[in-house]
Amino acid sequence: MLIIDIPGYSELKLKHLVLDYNGTLALDGEIISGVRSRLERLSRDLNIHVLTADTFGHARQKLSEIDCAFQLIGQGDQARAKAEYVMAIGAENTAAAGNGRNDRLMLEKAGLGIGLIQEEGACLSSMNSADIICSHINHALDLLLFPLRLAATLRG
């Protein structure tokens, strides 16, 4: 568990990290450089979950060496499915990161929602649902590895 006290904001007691795959952890289906090592370090304190529609069809294989739960999201209401997943594991104890329209409800429900604007771009409604916006997944993961950065941004 990660406990992060953010003055004037809240005390986060994070047990889970829920991540979108394409556009968040990966670009064109390939995991972005630096992500693996950060997830390995975070997995010591957090349960990592990857939720994906798996646009390129090989996310499970790409994630096989990372300690994480993998959840394939069907073609139905993906936004609702991701939000329900976050609520089922305990939204208040979850940090979530994503960029797509189907991430908006997940980001809104999570105790900490991190929106990402990378090469794939980002959906405006998802960014409005996030608590914080980052320009790179490694920066987002570093907020959890170095929580004073997160506190500096979100403090009241």
Side-chain angles (χ1 to χ4, degrees), residues 19 25 35-43 48 66 141:
L19 302 156
L25 295 179
V35 166
R36 285 183 197 280
S37 62
R38 285 170 172 85
L39 290 180
E40 288 171 5
R41 291 188 348 226
L42 285 168
S43 70
I48 298 173
I66 297 174
L141 297 174

Side-chain angles (χ1 to χ4, degrees), residues 21-32 56 118-121:
Y21 186 71
N22 285 301
T24 300
L25 295 179
L27 176 64
D28 299 329
E30 299 298 323
I31 295 178
I32 295 168
F56 295 92
Q118 300 184 112
E119 288 90 339
E120 195 175 282

Side-chain angles (χ1 to χ4, degrees), residues 15-147:
K15 296 179 184 176
H16 304 280
L17 175 57
V18 176
L19 302 156
D20 174 52
Y21 186 71
N22 285 301
T24 300
L25 295 179
L27 176 64
D28 299 329
E30 299 298 323
I31 295 178
I32 295 168
S33 178
V35 166
R36 285 183 197 280
S37 62
R38 285 170 172 85
L39 290 180
E40 288 171 5
R41 291 188 348 226
L42 285 168
S43 70
R44 297 175 196 151
D45 296 312
L46 298 170
N47 297 309
I48 298 173
H49 310 257
V50 178
L51 310 182
T52 182
D54 201 8
T55 303
F56 295 92
H58 57 259
R60 184 184 306 269
Q61 182 266 325
K62 296 287 183 181
L63 292 164
S64 65
E65 296 178 16
I66 297 174
D67 183 14
C68 67
F70 178 87
Q71 182 67 43
L72 187 63
I73 302 296
Q75 295 302 315
D77 190 345
Q78 294 176 351
R80 184 182 350 222
K82 287 183 174 187
E84 287 174 356
Y85 188 95
V86 165
M87 290 185 297
I89 62 173
E92 68 280 355
N93 299 114
T94 300
N99 73 310
R101 186 169 175 268
N102 65 2
D103 298 319
R104 71 189 185 285
L105 299 177
M106 169 181 82
L107 296 174
E108 179 182 295
K109 299 291 183 192
L112 176 66
I114 304 171
L116 287 157
I117 304 174
Q118 300 184 112
E119 288 90 339
E120 195 175 282
C123 176
L124 181 58
S125 62
S126 292
M127 297 306 99
N128 286 330
S129 295
D131 297 296
I132 191 168
I133 307 296
C134 291
S135 62
H136 196 281
I137 183 58
N138 290 336
H139 302 161
L141 297 174
D142 285 349
L143 291 175
L144 300 173
L145 291 168
F146 306 99

